Amino acid sequence: MSNGAIVGINWGDEGKGRMVDLLTNQYDIVVRYQGGGNAGHTVINDFGKFALHLLPSGIFRPGVVSILGNGVALDPENLWNEMQGVEAQGVPLTPDKLMISDRCSLLLPWHRELDCLEEARLADKKYGSTRQGIAPFYSDKYQKKTVLAGELFYPEQLKAHLADLLEWKNLTITKVYGAEPITMESVMEWVDNYCEKIKPFICDTGRFLREAEKNGKHILFEAQLGALRDLDFGIVPYTTSSNPIASYAPVGSGLTTAKLDDVIGVVKAYSTCVGEGPFTCEMFGEEAEKLREFGFEYGAKTGRPRRVGPIDIVATRYGVECQGATAIALTKLDVLSYMDKIPVCTQYELNGEKIDYFPFPTALPMCKPVIEYLPGFKTDVSSCREWDDLPKAAQDYVLYIEEKIGCFIKYVSVGPERDSIIIR
């Protein structure tokens, strides 16, 4: 067994959570290495159905240690509420099962407020933020104006640090946005209500991971969102504020010596996108509504209807390259069973020329999709568990995608449940 990563290839919402939940039985440790509570990983298993936003998707496996790495935007309020919800469904969470890096920066109450204020200011030019404070958080982190989780163990220094930060942050809240200032009393109440509750889970996870590596433990790195939302390589500015690509895993996990042997890229059998920004293959009208309903395409975090379209070969191939994927998990193949013919976006048309490469973000709104159609399989495939169980048209669809994106499709998901999977 080797170290691996499970990452998104497209715009996010590809089904990473169900793949992490499936594959964690092969690993000792699962590490979430970036992002915050602005996206959801939906998992269905013996405990029930869960929409995880901060917790790693490995928490359901007995004997597996789940870690929130230093690259995560740690929102103590959302995390504590999520922990309570999971435990209420019978999933035990103890400090030996869930660990939080003491080098995580805290997403503070003013980050969410600033996110909402800025989206309101942008009005019809908004970026499509989930208003969870992610962009203000990472902005402050790189300005060195955040609080590390480990500071919770030094209450006097913590209070002084928070007071300094609050004085600085209230200048923006009041002078730039004209909003009411945040009080120190409300901040300390928030610390008592949420930060103190997660404190038993905070430790030096970097040291733990280095020891685990020395002892030959197998580690799975879990990402949020997808390659097209990456801050450096995505559809700027309609991206997240961190790096969901696999190569960031060693940094964001705190195990800088980590070697990734397997990178499982997750791709949906059709395309979906939540929020603003260019989405070349987008469907509209009745065709889109039908696909959205069959796939139940609504955001796990926001509940917003997802934009939908055929699988985008151009964007997917680019995502595979960005992630360095060694194998693909294709999810939601079963959703396409209602289609007489299955659309595929094979190329883009840019300024009258057909292109196969993913262009610079500024050019994306000028691109038009080139659509081809493959025969539909018109059969319920949700009970298939072996490759040979699939109808030939479904096999042909999978093999077509595999050839076009240049990466082996090892897993084919035919339903949301843990065992609804075909392994080639």
Side-chain angles (χ1 to χ4, degrees):
M1 179 56 61
S2 53
N3 293 339
I6 294 182
V7 294
I9 295 297
N10 298 119
W11 299 265
D13 303 306
E14 299 96 344
K16 295 179 293 296
R18 69 97 65 235
M19 291 308 303
V20 175
D21 180 59
L22 173 72
L23 297 178
T24 42
N25 65 337
Q26 303 174 28
Y27 292 89
D28 304 298
I29 301 166
V30 177
V31 188
R32 169 81 179 272
Y33 63 85
Q34 54 78 225
N38 54 321
H41 287 178
T42 301
V43 175
I44 299 176
N45 55 33
D46 294 340
F47 290 101
K49 181 177 180 179
F50 301 85
L52 302 181
H53 305 291
L54 274 164
L55 288 171
S57 301
I59 58 168
F60 305 105
R61 290 285 188 178
V64 172
V65 177
S66 292
I67 293 177
L68 290 173
N70 53 274
V72 170
L74 181 64
D75 183 336
E77 181 177 347
N78 280 349
L79 177 61
W80 177 246
N81 290 335
E82 190 172 315
M83 289 170 65
Q84 287 187 301
V86 165
E87 288 194 298
Q89 288 186 248
V91 182
L93 295 177
T94 55
D96 61 339
K97 182 177 175 63
L98 174 66
M99 299 180 182
I100 302 168
S101 171
D102 57 3
R103 288 187 171 268
C104 273
S105 290
L106 302 185
L107 192 148
L108 297 159
W110 54 73
H111 290 133
R112 279 195 298 275
E113 180 163 351
L114 284 166
D115 205 354
C116 294
L117 290 169
E118 178 60 10
E119 281 288 284
R121 186 193 70 81
L122 287 169
D124 60 348
K125 296 181 181 179
K126 63 183 184 292
Y127 294 161
S129 169
T130 57
R131 304 182 184 229
Q132 296 298 306
I134 302 302
F137 163 85
Y138 280 108
S139 175
D140 284 0
K141 179 176 179 177
Y142 286 102
Q143 291 188 77
K144 304 177 290 292
K145 290 185 180 291
T146 51
V147 171
L148 297 181
E151 292 183 58
L152 294 173
F153 296 99
Y154 303 90
E156 290 185 14
Q157 293 89 335
L158 170 67
K159 188 172 183 179
H161 191 187
L162 283 169
D164 286 344
L165 291 177
L166 181 60
E167 181 183 12
W168 167 72
K169 192 54 68 176
N170 270 336
L171 290 174
T172 303
I173 292 172
T174 60
K175 304 295 185 184
V176 174
Y177 293 106
E180 291 296 315
I182 294 174
T183 66
M184 189 63 186
E185 290 75 18
S186 68
V187 172
M188 294 312 299
E189 182 180 358
W190 178 84
V191 169
D192 289 339
N193 286 341
Y194 302 107
C195 298
E196 288 298 318
K197 291 182 172 67
I198 67 167
K199 197 160 78 170
F201 299 86
I202 297 170
C203 62
D204 186 348
T205 58
R207 183 169 62 185
F208 175 84
L209 286 168
R210 289 190 292 273
E211 284 298 313
E213 185 181 52
K214 288 178 186 176
N215 293 326
K217 300 294 185 181
H218 305 301
I219 305 169
L220 182 64
F221 300 91
E222 178 182 8
Q224 172 213 55
L225 296 168
L228 301 181
R229 297 297 189 189
D230 185 85
L231 180 61
D232 289 303
F233 302 104
I235 52 172
V236 179
Y238 304 99
T239 67
T240 191
S241 299
S242 62
N243 295 102
I245 57 174
S247 56
Y248 185 72
V251 176
S253 68
L255 185 61
T256 56
T257 54
K259 302 293 188 293
L260 298 181
D261 304 287
D262 301 304
V263 177
I264 307 299
V266 187
V267 178
K268 201 173 279 184
Y270 50 95
S271 296
T272 61
C273 174
V274 172
E276 309 296 324
F279 186 41
T280 304
C281 65
E282 186 168 10
M283 288 176 172
F284 298 94
E286 184 179 343
E287 186 182 27
E289 191 57 37
K290 194 170 185 179
L291 179 54
R292 186 177 296 114
E293 290 301 317
F294 270 88
F296 195 70
E297 294 299 346
Y298 301 91
K301 182 64 181 180
T302 63
R304 287 184 292 184
R306 293 182 182 131
R307 300 156 70 188
V308 298
I311 191 166
D312 186 327
I313 296 297
V314 179
T316 302
R317 187 165 50 231
Y318 174 74
V320 168
E321 293 167 350
C322 287
Q323 294 287 16
T326 59
I328 295 296
L330 187 72
T331 61
K332 288 199 166 186
L333 181 68
D334 53 303
V335 172
L336 302 181
S337 62
Y338 74 92
M339 291 184 173
D340 293 314
K341 54 182 182 177
I342 304 174
V344 178
C345 176
T346 57
Q347 294 176 299
Y348 293 169
E349 184 180 309
L350 177 60
N351 297 326
E353 177 187 355
K354 291 182 179 179
I355 60 172
D356 296 299
Y357 61 88
F358 195 72
F360 188 76
T362 307
L364 281 169
M366 297 181 276
C367 291
K368 299 177 182 179
V370 177
I371 304 296
E372 297 182 10
Y373 291 88
L374 297 180
F377 42 92
K378 297 294 288 182
T379 304
D380 180 8
V381 297
S382 60
S383 62
C384 296
R385 296 295 180 269
E386 301 290 338
W387 176 250
D388 288 340
D389 295 340
L390 287 174
K392 185 176 184 303
Q395 292 180 356
D396 289 345
Y397 181 71
V398 173
L399 294 174
Y400 178 89
I401 295 169
E402 180 176 274
E403 178 188 0
K404 293 295 184 182
I405 66 175
C407 192
F408 174 58
I409 297 177
K410 183 175 182 179
Y411 305 94
V412 180
S413 171
V414 292
E417 298 81 14
R418 182 183 280 173
D419 67 342
S420 299
I421 198 83
I422 295 167
I423 302 176
R424 293 175 65 208

